[in-house]
Amino acid sequence: MNIHQLIEENKEQFYQDLNEVIKIKSVKGTPEKAAPFGRGPKEVLEKALSLSKSYGFETSSVQDAVGYAQWGKDSEYIGIVGHLDVVPEGTGWSFPPYQLTKKAGRFYARGILDNKGPIMACLYGMKLLKEAGFVPKKTIRILFGTDEESGSSDIPMYLSQEKPPIFGFTPDCKYPVVYGERGIVNYQILTAFDTQELNQLSNINGDQAKDHVPDQLAVTVNQEEIMVTGKRAPSNAPELGENAITLLAEKIKTNQLLTGELQDYFSWIVDSLANQHNGEGLALNFEDEDSGKLILTPYELLKTETGLSLSIAIRYPVSVTEEEVTETLLRQLPKNSEMEIVRRIKSSSFPKENPLVQKLSAVYEEVTKEDGSPVTTTGATYARFMPNIVAFGPSFPGQKGIAHNQDEYMDERDLLLNLEIYMRAIIALTE
């Protein structure tokens, strides 16, 4: 079987089929009957299952939350778990976000990298293997989730009716094999201020959400309109962006735009958070050999009726506990503050010596000629929620900060390289 030739002869049809999935705006919406995450995620799931059926695979949908395409009849199966939901497109695109656009060897679209492109590459790769006559000795399932971007509540719905895979991977992270994922904890810090003092500030407006570094904020300070513009980046790679929250605080601190405790508060933001992505400004600079340094990202600053609310996301090394992070942070809060945890995801780890992990590492090394030693990640994938799953691709070493941004992209060469890696992974795991 000549995998390179198979891919080359069929790539244009793959792009057409991928575009059918890309063009559906699968952002989480209002729950409806038979659409637990809204109309868009349900519609894209139906499209993926329709394509799977046309490729000759058995299909099923579990609680309208997770669908799958199955090759084989055994109840025990190898699983490939990806997702079809996407984050909102945001603004500033140079290309239509819901249309697969190719320019200078690069594809642009919301979801081309995270995660429609990679999971559809897995499905299409399975189709090409089937048509070429390969017969797997183990059953394989491609699973299509629809709520990964909003908390992965789709996976418990699936597991309530189906057995987990005996092993598998999610193509929603990076290469090589990712055997460990850091813990994640998000805090909301509520700081109270005197009403008269608080009236110096208007509401703070901007695109603020836990998945990215905010890039633009606007506020009126003592009748003076202030706007700051930074650079958006994924919240797990804050060093690639410029955070509008700390930029605003720096402007207020430098120009003494406020008075009293409110001015002190913005000085605290600068001193504790500005360009201190590893928590060093809050004595949170934990690190270990396997997972590196803690990562801290302020992602939302809001005015409330009684004060200001600051939300921060922390990704901590696998050897550190959430309790250690919380206790340390509590000692660093500004005056008149209280704190609550608004999101927590414990760290996860899979034995990197596992023979099937080693098979994936060998596939990666064979195709790329690069070191395939298993690694850890700052991201959060389905591997935390689905038993027996590791993360495997699609981003190659050095590629960072592409997902969740405007003009999300994937080079055509990399998309096809992923297609080859995933085809060889399916062979290796099912022979």
Side-chain angles (χ1 to χ4, degrees):
M1 185 192 313
N2 188 326
I3 288 180
H4 286 286
Q5 184 179 343
L6 278 175
I7 291 172
E8 190 62 29
E9 290 175 352
N10 291 277
K11 65 181 182 181
E12 295 302 327
Q13 185 60 53
F14 170 50
Y15 301 156
Q16 289 181 36
D17 291 356
L18 175 57
N19 190 48
E20 291 297 301
V21 174
I22 290 281
K23 69 184 184 182
I24 298 170
K25 185 175 179 177
S26 50
V27 175
K28 187 172 186 176
T30 304
E32 300 178 14
K33 184 179 180 181
F37 310 114
R39 188 64 246 164
K42 176 64 184 296
E43 184 181 346
V44 78
L45 180 59
E46 290 174 339
K47 172 57 68 176
L49 292 178
S50 173
L51 286 169
S52 301
K53 196 168 186 178
S54 74
Y55 297 162
F57 299 116
E58 176 189 339
T59 63
S60 184
S61 179
V62 180
Q63 298 198 59
D64 300 296
V66 177
Y68 64 82
Q70 180 165 307
W71 189 12
K73 298 294 183 182
D74 292 342
S75 58
E76 291 191 338
Y77 63 94
I78 298 292
I80 301 176
V81 193
H83 68 92
L84 300 171
D85 59 310
V86 295
V87 299
E89 65 274 20
T91 58
W93 282 75
S94 309
F95 308 92
Y98 298 106
Q99 177 182 314
L100 190 63
T101 304
K102 181 180 170 184
K103 184 177 181 181
R106 178 169 284 181
F107 284 115
Y108 296 89
R110 176 56 88 222
I112 180 61
L113 180 67
D114 186 15
N115 183 232
K116 291 177 178 179
I119 192 59
M120 293 305 294
C122 293
L123 175 67
Y124 205 81
M126 194 163 79
K127 169 187 184 287
L128 294 181
L129 290 174
K130 182 172 183 288
E131 291 174 349
F134 174 73
V135 180
K137 292 191 171 80
K138 295 176 183 174
T139 295
I140 188 158
R141 258 184 207 185
I142 308 278
L143 281 78
F144 306 104
T146 57
D147 189 47
E148 195 274 344
E149 298 291 4
S150 300
S152 301
S153 62
D154 48 346
I155 299 302
M157 296 170 73
Y158 173 85
L159 292 173
S160 71
Q161 295 186 8
E162 298 285 331
K163 292 199 303 187
I166 56 173
F167 181 74
F169 63 87
T170 176
D172 189 28
C173 193
K174 64 181 180 181
Y175 291 113
V177 182
V178 176
Y179 74 93
E181 300 188 5
R182 297 180 186 212
I184 298 175
V185 58
N186 290 19
Y187 300 97
Q188 183 183 34
I189 301 168
L190 299 165
T191 306
F193 292 97
D194 175 83
T195 302
Q196 186 173 353
E197 192 168 15
L198 192 60
N199 286 341
Q200 296 179 82
L201 281 179
S202 71
N203 287 332
I204 302 167
N205 299 309
D207 176 13
Q208 302 185 87
K210 68 178 183 293
D211 67 282
H212 65 270
V213 171
D215 60 353
Q216 196 166 74
L217 290 179
V219 63
T220 300
V221 181
N222 288 320
Q223 283 73 57
E224 179 184 352
E225 290 186 11
I226 304 292
M227 178 174 285
V228 291
T229 301
K231 180 182 177 184
R232 182 167 165 150
S235 57
N236 68 338
E239 74 282 0
L240 299 180
E242 293 179 65
N243 197 308
I245 293 172
T246 55
L247 289 176
L248 175 64
E250 285 173 337
K251 195 163 192 175
I252 290 172
K253 178 184 178 181
T254 301
N255 297 304
Q256 293 287 308
L257 299 180
L258 294 166
T259 60
E261 292 180 354
L262 205 53
Q263 179 71 25
D264 293 341
Y265 175 83
F266 282 96
S267 295
W268 173 84
I269 289 180
V270 175
D271 297 341
S272 303
L273 300 171
N275 298 313
Q276 300 186 82
H277 309 302
N278 303 123
E280 54 268 45
L282 293 169
L284 289 168
N285 45 326
F286 298 109
E287 63 180 294
D288 62 31
E289 185 176 350
D290 270 6
S291 45
K293 297 179 179 180
L294 176 144
I295 293 174
L296 184 152
T297 306
Y299 64 86
E300 185 180 62
L301 179 64
L302 299 173
K303 181 182 177 182
T304 70
E305 289 186 2
T306 58
L308 291 171
S309 166
L310 174 67
S311 296
I312 60 175
I314 290 177
R315 296 162 193 266
Y316 54 91
V318 293
S319 63
V320 177
T321 67
E322 178 191 295
E323 290 73 23
E324 287 178 273
V325 175
T326 300
E327 289 172 8
T328 304
L329 183 55
L330 278 170
R331 293 194 291 268
Q332 309 296 326
L333 297 184
K335 187 178 176 182
N336 300 323
S337 295
E338 56 186 45
M339 184 177 81
E340 64 176 305
I341 294 172
V342 293
R343 181 190 186 213
R344 56 158 58 98
I345 306 175
K346 289 190 174 181
S347 60
S348 65
S349 186
F350 191 88
K352 57 185 175 182
E353 303 81 11
N354 182 285
L356 296 176
V357 169
Q358 295 303 312
K359 282 191 175 187
L360 292 179
S361 294
V363 166
Y364 176 77
E365 290 183 343
E366 176 190 356
V367 175
T368 67
K369 313 305 181 194
E370 301 289 342
D371 181 14
S373 301
V375 296
T376 65
T377 184
T378 61
T381 76
Y382 276 148
R384 295 178 191 256
F385 306 98
M386 180 70 81
N388 309 322
I389 291 290
V390 294
F392 189 50
S395 295
F396 294 96
Q399 297 176 341
K400 197 174 180 182
I402 301 168
H404 296 194
N405 281 342
Q406 64 267 60
D407 289 344
E408 180 181 340
Y409 70 85
M410 195 172 192
D411 288 339
E412 181 179 23
R413 175 186 174 278
D414 288 346
L415 182 60
L416 297 181
L417 198 56
N418 269 279
L419 184 50
E420 179 183 353
I421 289 170
Y422 292 144
M423 288 175 72
R424 294 188 186 278
I426 288 170
I427 293 170
L429 294 178
T430 62
E431 278 185 323

